[in-house]
Amino acid sequence: MLSVILHGCSGHMGHVVASLIRPMADVQIVCGVDRTAPQDDLGFPVFTSLDEVQVSSDVVIDFSTAAAVSPLIRWCVEQKKPVVLCTTGLSDPQKEELVQASKQIPVFFSANMSLGINLLSALASKAAQILSPAGFDIEIEERHHRRKLDAPSGTALMIAEAMTRSLDDGHYIDTGRMDRREARDPRSIGISAVRGGTIVGEHTVLFAGQDELIELKHTALSRDVFAVGAINAARFLANRAPGLYDMNDLLNL
């Protein structure tokens, strides 16, 4: 039985993870941690601080906020606890904290836990290698609900970064053209963000060539896809050696 600490259990994603794990025979949540107490009974004890946690566990699943990630990483290193980080909007210094922590504990981090979006990222990277030299411009459009705090999304940046690595020819990410009046740089990968309503998440990669367009698109119809990915990542991470893992490792992409 895989025992899980759910960090950020009071948020929407925390509730989704808890509801999916509840009927599972091989995974259980031993406690939750959230500075805001949940309004309903989640079926496990909830602490407002990591310092209060005294229960034994195999792994931490995190769906909290960027501000809560650094203290969590320090706690996991101190406790030698593997951690699956699903929180987006991390700063570059925080990402470096993950790299340093992964030298001591197993750390699983992905800007998006969906199997489909990670396959999209791999396909986009392959397409970029073929289409960019042929003169195709690359753009990413992402759409999310009105409550999402970060823009562009961590997933859009993940896809763009994967393509820049695959191209390795001076391509760079451009997240805003509003303050410039100039023609598009063919080496740029533009990202535009839409926020509104209850959109769970949509990401479209557009390859625009001479007289032809190619689009790769992923639409999340519910948040369950992210929770399922996090649970599978927790199964994957248990008993792993220290290191920084992501969905490519889990899916063998």
Side-chain angles (χ1 to χ4, degrees):
M1 178 73 74
L2 183 70
S3 57
V4 173
I5 293 174
L6 183 55
H7 186 252
C9 61
S10 294
H12 184 86
M13 281 307 305
H15 280 73
V16 174
V17 172
S19 67
L20 291 178
I21 289 180
R22 196 169 293 120
M24 292 181 177
D26 64 328
V27 184
Q28 66 172 342
I29 299 176
V30 292
C31 75
V33 179
D34 203 302
R35 65 178 184 177
T36 303
Q39 297 298 311
D40 51 351
D41 182 10
L42 297 178
F44 48 80
V46 176
F47 304 103
T48 57
S49 169
L50 287 163
D51 295 332
E52 300 173 21
V53 177
Q54 300 295 326
V55 296
S56 176
S57 63
D58 298 312
V59 63
V60 177
I61 294 178
D62 168 68
F63 272 107
S64 60
T65 63
V69 166
S70 293
L72 171 63
I73 290 299
R74 289 193 292 269
W75 184 85
C76 288
V77 169
E78 291 171 0
Q79 300 295 321
K80 304 298 182 184
K81 195 76 62 182
V83 58
V84 177
L85 281 164
C86 309
T87 298
T88 61
L90 302 187
S91 65
D92 288 339
Q94 285 180 307
K95 292 177 182 178
E96 180 58 28
E97 288 178 17
L98 304 189
V99 173
Q100 296 305 316
S102 69
K103 297 176 182 179
Q104 302 181 62
I105 60 172
V107 177
F108 192 106
F109 175 69
S110 177
N112 191 300
M113 301 303 293
S114 157
L115 182 155
I117 204 71
N118 283 276
L119 177 59
L120 171 68
S121 181
L123 293 172
S125 295
K126 181 63 176 178
Q129 291 176 331
I130 298 170
L131 298 174
S132 179
F136 281 70
D137 297 319
I138 306 173
E139 294 284 321
I140 299 173
E141 182 188 69
E142 55 97 346
R143 302 180 178 186
H144 286 86
H145 53 86
R146 64 169 66 97
R147 300 183 308 278
K148 186 169 178 61
L149 301 180
D150 54 318
S153 70
T155 300
L157 290 170
M158 177 187 79
I159 297 169
E161 288 166 0
M163 287 192 288
T164 58
R165 288 194 300 270
S166 71
L167 292 170
D168 193 28
D169 62 353
H171 273 74
Y172 63 93
I173 300 169
D174 189 351
T175 59
R177 302 189 180 99
M178 296 294 291
D179 60 342
R180 306 194 307 271
R181 184 176 175 84
E182 61 188 30
R184 185 188 192 283
D185 186 340
R187 297 171 302 163
S188 66
I189 297 178
I191 303 179
S192 56
V194 175
R195 296 290 177 267
T198 59
I199 303 170
V200 174
E202 291 184 3
H203 293 84
T204 301
V205 184
L206 171 67
F207 298 92
Q210 185 67 39
D211 301 324
E212 58 182 333
L213 302 174
I214 299 172
E215 290 186 3
L216 299 175
K217 182 177 181 180
H218 177 272
T219 302
L221 300 179
S222 83
R223 290 176 174 82
D224 285 15
V225 296
F226 311 127
V228 169
I231 296 166
N232 287 334
R235 291 191 179 105
F236 169 86
L237 204 63
N239 301 316
R240 293 278 171 179
L244 186 59
Y245 302 92
D246 60 21
M247 290 297 285
N248 289 331
D249 300 302
L250 177 58
L251 302 174
N252 291 318
L253 292 177

